[in-house]
C-alpha cells in the first residue's frame, strides 16, 4: 500500500509540474489532501469533494461527515454519512475509518443505505388498516392514535394477567438488549426471534462445548481457515471477517471451504470441498479420528480442558478415570470414521479429505474455524456440524489463542444500561413449548401451528424488521393465522418498508433505517472488544450546528421514528401513573418523574459502563456521548486472550468452598460486579446453592468456560439428562435428506444460500443492489439437467412436500451433481390492492384460496415505473424470481429447534400453463408435516430430570425467573423480587 501511495505522490508531483509549466494553477483536489485514503477525522466538520452531478464542471461541495452503523446485516460496519452542508441532506455513505471492526470498508450493501433512505415507496407515516386484512385499504393516522391503541390493549392484557398474549417478534435486532428489557419491564415473556430459521443449529453445537453460542475466529493470524459455508462472501460478519481472511491468505494461510456450491468464497479456496449436504460431520469426525490416531492433537490441552473425567466416570464407570484410559477410549469411539467411510457418505475423495486433514494438522493452534447457517441450518442434526467442527479446535488447542477461535462473548462488549428491570415471572409456551426443552431459541416458525392447535392466542403482536410470511417456511400458514382475528387481535408491523407480512397487519408503523435510529452494537470480529453507536445522522449533524433535538422524528423523513423512543413513549402510555411498576424503567435519573430520553439513556451508559471511554473522550474535551456521536465507535481493549486460563482471585471462593469430583469449584461468595453483559450460559449453582466460580486444574482455580462443568464439554451431561444421551458426544446424525431417506427421483434442494448483494427481506428497496442481482434461478448440474431435459432459461417445476414452485433453470457445473440449489433472497411480491407499495423488484400477485389449497401467480411482471426517482423508469429486468419458502414444510430439529431448511424435491419440466413464480401449496399437508416432525421430539414432561421446562444454564434472550422454569409454574406476572434481567 505504501508503494502505491508513493507512486501516487510521484504522479501528483508530475501533474503539478506539468500544469505549472503551462503557467496554469494546479488544482490541489477538493480535499486539499490528494493522498488521503479516508477523510481524516479532524476534518469531518468540513470536507470538500467535487460534485459528481456537476461534471464536467469542477464544482466543490462541502460536507459534514457523521458516523453511524450499517444495519444491512449483523456485521455492524461503520458508515460515514456525507451530509451536504447547503441542504442538510445525506448525499452518500462511505466507510468509517474509525470503526475497528470494518476499518473503513464496506460491502455493496453499505453504500446502498442511500437507496433505502431515498426509496420513493418507503413508508413515511403511521398507517391503519381499513377493510379486511390483506385487502389493501389503509388510512394515515397519527402516532398518538397508534400508541394509544397499542397501550390500551397491552395495559388490559397486563391487568387481566394475560401477559402471554403480548408478543414481540424480531428479525434483525440491530441492538444489544434494549427491547428485551422493555418486555422484562412489562413482565412479559414475549420475546420471539427469527433465530430458529437462521443460526440456532450453528449456535447449539458451540454452546454445548463452551456455554457460549458463537465462534469468534481470529482469521488474520490463522495458518488454516476452515469454513463450513460461503462465509468469506456472505457469512456472518461478512466484510470484517472477509478482509481478515484475505489478510491471512496473503500471509500464506490455507483456506478450506466446505460448500456444496461453487460460491465466490469457494473460488478463493485452497480446497473447495463439495460434500453431499449433511455429511459434513462425517468428514470432520474422520479428520478428528486421524488426528487422534496419529497423536497429532495437543494432548496437554485436552488433558487440562476437556471434561474427559466426567465422561469416563459416568459412561465407563468400570474403567479407571485416567487420561491415558480416556485416550484409549477416544481412539475406539471414532474408529469407524475412516476417510473411506467419510468419502462414502460425502462423495468427497479420500485424497481431498486427506489434504484437509493435513492442513488442519499443520495449523497447530492456528486453526480458525467457522460455521453458522449453511449446513448447520439445512439438516436435521445440523447442530452436530458446529459441534464436530469445534472438536477440531478443541483437539488442536486452537481456542482463544492467536489464529484460533475464541468464544464470542469474550470478543464482544455489552454495556450495562441505565435501568435493569426484573426478569418476567412468566413462561410463554408459544415460544418455548415443552416438546423442545433444549431448543436454542424460540420455536418461532411454528407459531401458526401452535396457535392453530389452540395452545394460545396473541392479543398484541409486534413484528419488527421481520417478515415471517416471506422469510419463514410455510408462509401460507402464516397468512391463515394473520388473517384470523380470533388468533391475532392486533398486529403492528414496525418496519421501514412495506413487506409481505405488513400487508396483513392492522397498524404499519414506520421505523428508521441505518442512519435514522439509535442502537449500540458490538460484535466478535477479532481479538478485541469494541462498541459501535448507530445514530440518526441528521440529528447529530443538527446538534453539531447548535440545535437541540429531543425527538428523532424532528429530523427523520416524514414521521419515521426509531424503536427506542417508541418503546419509551409506549411504556409511559401503558403505565402513565406508574401504578403497574413499569414506568420507573423509562424515567429519567437526572430528572425523576420525567420521561427518559435517548440522550440520557446512551449518555449514562457511555459514561458509567464503558471502560476507558470517559477518559478517551476527555482527552478531546468531549463528554462520552459527544465522543460517540462524533466518531461512532470505541475500541475498549484488544488482546483479550484465553480468559478461561485466568486465575480466579482466592477471595472469590473463600466462603464455604466446595470442589466437585471433576474440579468444578463452588463458593458462597457473592459474584463480583459484572462489567460485560455479553450473553453466555449461566452455570447452575450446586445442590446446596453455592455459586460456580471456576474450575480447578493442576491445583489452580481458573475461570474456565461458562459450561456446566467449567470445562470444554466433549461430553454433555445436559444432553444425557434431557433425553438425548446418544448425541452427548460429537456425533454424525444422518440428515433428513440423507440418500437413505429420499424416495426414488428425489434430490436435495439447497435453499439457504445468500447472495452477496442482498439483505434477506430488506433489499427490495435498494435499486443498486437489485440491478446487481434480482432473480433466483435453480442451480442444476448439466448431468441432471440432461436427465430432466432442460437447458438454462427453461422453466422447471420443483415439487416439495407441500406443493410446488416454478422457476427458471440455470445449468452450471458450480454445484455437485444430484443436488439443486436456489437462493432464498428473491421472489418478492406485492398483493393486488397494494400495487403502489414496494414496487422495486417485486411482482404483483394474486392469491387464490380454496379451503386449504393456496396458489399464487404473478399478475404482472416486473418492469420500469414512474416515481420520484427517475432511475425506476430505467429498470431493464423483468424476472425477479420465485418465493420458494412458501412451499416448504416446517422441519424443527428435535434437539436444537432449528428449522432444517434443506428439502427433498423432484425437479420436472414445467407443465403447460406454468409461469415463472407460480406457487401451489396445500396447508393441510403443512399441518401433517408439522405433526411428523413434532413426533420426533422428547417432551420435558417425560425427560426433564428436575421437573423444569428447560436447563437453566442455557442461554435465553429474555430469561424468566427461576420459578417460571417449573413445569406447571406460574405464568403471567412480573415478580418484583425477581433478580434484574441483564
Ligand atoms: S458487511 Fe455490508 S451489509 Fe454488513 S454491515 Fe458491513 S457494509 Fe453493512
Amino acid at each position: 500500500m505504501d508503494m502505491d501511495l508513493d507512486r501516487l505522490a510521484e504522479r501528483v508531483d508530475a501533474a503539478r509540474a506539468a500544469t505549472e509549466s503551462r503557467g496554469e494553477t494546479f488544482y490541489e483536489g477538493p480535499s486539499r489532501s490528494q493522498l488521503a485514503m479516508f477523510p481524516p477525522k479532524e476534518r469531518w466538520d468540513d470536507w470538500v469533494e467535487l460534485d459528481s452531478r456537476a461534471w464536467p464542471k469542477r464544482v466543490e461541495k462541502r460536507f459534514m461527515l457523521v458516523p453511524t452503523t450499517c444495519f444491512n446485516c449483523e456485521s455492524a460496519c461503520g458508515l460515514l454519512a456525507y451530509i451536504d452542508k447547503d441542504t442538510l441532506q445525506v448525499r452518500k455513505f462511505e466507510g468509517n475509518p474509525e470503526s475497528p471492526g470494518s476499518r473503513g470498508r464496506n460491502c455493496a450493501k453499505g453504500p446502498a443505505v442511500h437507496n433505502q433512505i431515498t426509496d420513493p415507496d418507503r413508508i413515511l407515516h403511521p398507517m391503519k388498516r381499513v377493510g379486511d386484512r390483506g385487502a389493501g385499504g389503509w388510512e394515515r393516522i397519527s402516532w398518538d392514535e397508534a400508541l394509544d391503541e397499542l397501550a390500551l390493549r397491552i395495559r388490559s392484557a397486563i391487568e387481566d394477567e394475560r401477559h402471554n398474549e403480548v408478543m414481540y417478534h424480531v428479525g434483525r435486532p440491530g441492538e444489544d438488549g434494549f427491547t428485551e428489557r422493555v418486555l422484562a419491564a412489562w413482565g412479559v415473556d414475549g420475546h420471539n426471534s427469527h433465530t430458529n430459521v437462521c443460526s440456532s443449529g450453528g449456535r447449539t453445537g458451540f454452546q454445548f462445548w463452551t456455554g457460549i453460542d458463537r465462534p469468534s475466529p481470529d482469521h488474520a493470524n490463522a495458518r488454516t481457515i476452515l469454513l463450513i459455508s460461503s462465509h468469506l462472501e456472505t457469512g456472518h460478519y461478512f466484510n470484517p471477517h472477509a478482509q481478515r481472511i484475505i489478510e491471512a491468505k496473503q500471509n500464506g494461510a490455507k483456506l478450506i471451504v466446505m460448500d456444496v456450491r461453487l460460491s465466490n468464497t469457494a473460488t478463493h479456496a485452497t480446497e473447495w470441498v463439495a460434500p453431499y449436504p449433511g455429511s459434513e460431520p462425517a468428514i470432520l469426525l474422520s479428520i478428528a479420528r486421524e488426528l487422534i490416531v496419529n497423536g497429532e492433537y495437543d494432548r496437554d490441552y485436552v488433558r487440562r480442558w476437556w471434561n474427559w473425567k466426567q465422561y469416563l466416570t459416568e459412561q465407563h464407570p468400570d474403567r479407571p478415570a485416567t487420561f491415558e484410559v480416556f485416550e484409549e477410549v477416544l481412539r475406539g469411539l471414532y474408529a469407524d470414521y475412516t476417510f473411506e467411510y467419510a468419502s462414502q457418505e460425502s462423495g468427497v475423495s479420500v485424497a481431498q479429505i486427506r489434504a484437509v486433514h493435513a492442513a488442519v494438522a499443520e495449523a497447530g493452534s492456528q486453526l480458525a474455524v467457522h460455521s453458522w447457517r449453511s449446513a448447520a441450518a439445512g439438516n436435521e442434526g445440523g447442530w452436530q456440524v458446529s459441534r464436530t467442527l469445534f472438536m477440531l479446535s478443541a483437539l488442536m488447542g486452537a481456542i482463544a489463542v492467536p489464529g484460533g477461535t475464541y468464544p464470542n462473548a469474550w470478543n464482544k462488549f455489552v454495556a450495562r444500561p441505565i435501568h435493569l428491570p426484573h426478569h418476567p415471572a412468566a413462561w410463554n409456551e408459544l415460544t418455548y413449548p415443552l416438546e423442545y426443552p433444549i431448543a436454542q431459541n424460540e420455536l418461532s416458525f411454528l407459531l401458526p401451528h401452535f396457535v392453530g392447535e389452540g395452545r394460545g392466542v396473541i392479543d398484541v403482536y409486534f413484528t419488527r424488521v421481520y417478515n415471517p410470511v416471506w422469510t419463514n417456511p410455510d408462509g401460507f400458514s402464516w397468512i391463515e393465522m394473520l388473517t384470523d382475528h380470533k388468533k391475532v387481535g392486533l398486529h403492528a408491523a414496525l418496519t421501514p418498508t412495506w413487506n409481505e407480512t405488513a400487508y396483513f397487519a392492522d397498524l404499519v408503523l414506520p421505523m428508521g433505517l441505518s442512519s435514522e435510529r439509535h442502537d449500540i452494537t458490538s460484535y466478535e470480529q477479532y481479538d478485541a472488544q469494541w462498541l459501535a453507536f448507530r445514530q440518526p445522522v441528521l440529528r447529530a449533524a443538527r446538534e453539531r450546528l447548535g440545535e437541540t433535538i429531543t425527538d428523532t422524528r424532528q429530523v427523520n423523513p416524514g414521521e419515521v421514528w426509531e424503536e427506542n423512543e417508541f418503546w419509551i413513549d409506549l411504556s409511559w402510555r401503558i403505565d402513565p401513573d406508574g401504578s403497574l411498576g413499569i414506568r420507573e424503567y423509562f424515567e429519567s435519573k437526572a430528572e425523576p418523574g420525567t420521561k427518559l430520553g435517548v440522550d440520557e439513556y446512551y449518555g449514562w451508559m457511555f459514561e458509567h459502563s464503558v471502560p476507558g471511554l470517559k477518559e478517551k473522550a476527555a482527552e478531546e474535551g468531549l463528554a462520552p456521548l459527544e465522543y460517540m456521536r462524533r466518531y461512532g465507535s470505541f475500541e475498549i481493549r484488544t488482546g483479550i486472550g484465553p480468559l478461561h486460563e485466568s486465575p480466579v482471585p482466592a477471595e472469590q471462593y473463600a466462603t464455604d468452598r466446595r470442589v466437585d469430583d471433576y474440579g468444578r469449584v463452588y463458593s458462597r461468595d457473592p459474584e463480583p460486579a459484572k462489567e460485560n453483559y455479553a450473553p453466555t450460559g449461566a452455570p447452575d449453582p450446586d445442590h446446596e446453592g453455592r455459586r460456580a466460580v471456576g474450575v480447578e486444574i493442576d491445583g489452580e482455580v481458573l475461570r474456565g468456560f461458562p459450561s456446566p462443568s467449567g470445562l470444554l464439554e466433549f461430553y454433555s451431561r445436559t444432553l444425557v439428562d434431557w433425553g438425548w444421551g446418544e448425541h452427548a458426544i460429537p456425533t454424525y446424525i444422518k440428515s433428513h435428506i440423507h440418500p437413505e431417506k429420499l424416495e426414488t427421483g428425489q434430490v436435495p434442494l439447497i435453499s439457504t444460500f445468500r447472495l452477496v448483494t442482498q439483505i434477506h427481506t430488506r433489499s427490495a428497496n435498494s435499486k443498486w443492489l437489485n440491478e446487481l442481482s434480482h432473480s433466483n434461478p435453480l442451480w442444476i448440474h448439466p448431468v441432471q439437467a440432461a436427465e430432466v431435459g432442460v437447458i438454462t432459461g427453461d422453466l422447471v417445476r420443483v415439487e416439495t412436500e407441500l406443493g410446488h414452485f416454478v422457476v427458471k433453470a440455470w445449468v452450471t457445473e458450480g454445484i455437485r451433481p444430484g443436488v439443486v440449489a436456489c437462493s432464498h433472497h428473491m421472489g418478492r411480491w406485492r398483493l393486488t390492492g397494494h400495487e403502489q407499495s414496494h414496487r422495486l423488484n417485486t411482482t404483483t400477485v394474486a392469491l387464490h384460496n380454496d379451503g386449504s389449497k393456496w396458489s399464487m401467480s404473478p399478475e404482472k411482471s416486473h418492469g420500469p415505473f414512474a416515481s420520484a426517482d427517475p432511475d425506476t423508469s430505467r429498470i431493464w429486468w423483468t424476472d425477479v424470481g420465485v418465493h420458494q419458502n412458501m412451499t416448504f414444510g416446517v422441519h424443527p430439529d428435535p434437539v436444537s429447534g432449528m428449522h432444517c431448511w434443506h428439502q427433498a424435491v423432484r425437479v420436472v419440466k414445467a407443465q403447460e400453463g406454468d409461469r415463472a413464480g407460480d406457487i401451489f401449496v396445500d396447508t393441510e399437508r403443512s399441518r401433517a408435516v408439522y405433526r411428523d416432525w413434532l413426533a420426533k421430539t422428547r417432551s420435558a414432561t417425560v425427560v426433564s430430570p428436575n421437573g423444569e421446562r428447560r436447563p437453566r444454564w442455557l442461554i435465553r434472550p429474555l430469561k424468566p425467573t427461576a420459578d417460571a422454569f417449573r413445569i406447571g409454574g406460574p405464568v403471567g406476572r412480573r415478580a418484583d423480587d425477581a433478580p434484574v434481567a441483564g
Side-chain angles (χ1 to χ4, degrees), residues 8 73 185 230 247 256 316 367 393 425 464 546 549 579 615 630 652 663 734 758 760 812 830 851 884 952:
L8 189 57
C73 81
S230 56
E247 270 174 39
I256 295 159
H316 298 271
L367 170 70
S393 305
R464 186 252 165 163
I549 309 290
S579 58
E615 295 72 19
R630 177 153 282 271
Q652 287 181 23
K734 288 184 178 172
Q758 291 292 325
H760 290 296
T812 171
R830 60 187 187 276
Q884 59 173 338
R952 282 198 227 164

Side-chain angles (χ1 to χ4, degrees), residues 564-627:
N564 294 354
E565 287 175 346
F566 166 80
W567 294 122
I568 293 169
D569 199 309
L570 179 60
S571 299
W572 268 69
R573 291 178 197 236
I574 293 170
D575 185 19
D577 57 5
S579 58
L580 294 180
I582 293 173
R583 204 186 83 173
E584 63 189 274
Y585 299 110
F586 303 93
E587 283 184 17
S588 164
K589 274 196 179 179
E591 291 179 60
T594 65
K595 205 181 289 179
L596 179 66
V598 288
D599 274 349
E600 183 180 350
Y601 177 83
Y602 290 107
W604 188 95
M605 177 184 283
F606 295 152
E607 183 157 348
H608 295 92
S609 309
V610 184
L613 175 54
K614 193 174 170 182
E615 295 72 19
K616 178 76 179 168
E619 286 171 15
E620 301 197 21
L622 298 172
L625 177 61
E626 290 173 321
Y627 181 94

Side-chain angles (χ1 to χ4, degrees), residues 69-79 95 102 105-113 233-241 514 523 525 534 754 756 758-759 762 769:
T69 306
C70 183
F71 192 34
N72 283 343
C73 81
E74 205 183 356
S75 304
C77 297
L79 292 176
S102 57
R105 303 170 203 175
N106 299 114
C107 76
K109 294 176 278 188
V113 172
E233 87 204 45
T234 59
H236 221 222
Y237 310 136
F238 152 41
N239 158 48
H241 273 184
S514 310
Y523 293 116
Q525 295 172 350
R534 184 174 292 125
R754 301 167 79 177
V756 64
Q758 291 292 325
I759 312 154
R762 292 180 289 131
L769 300 179

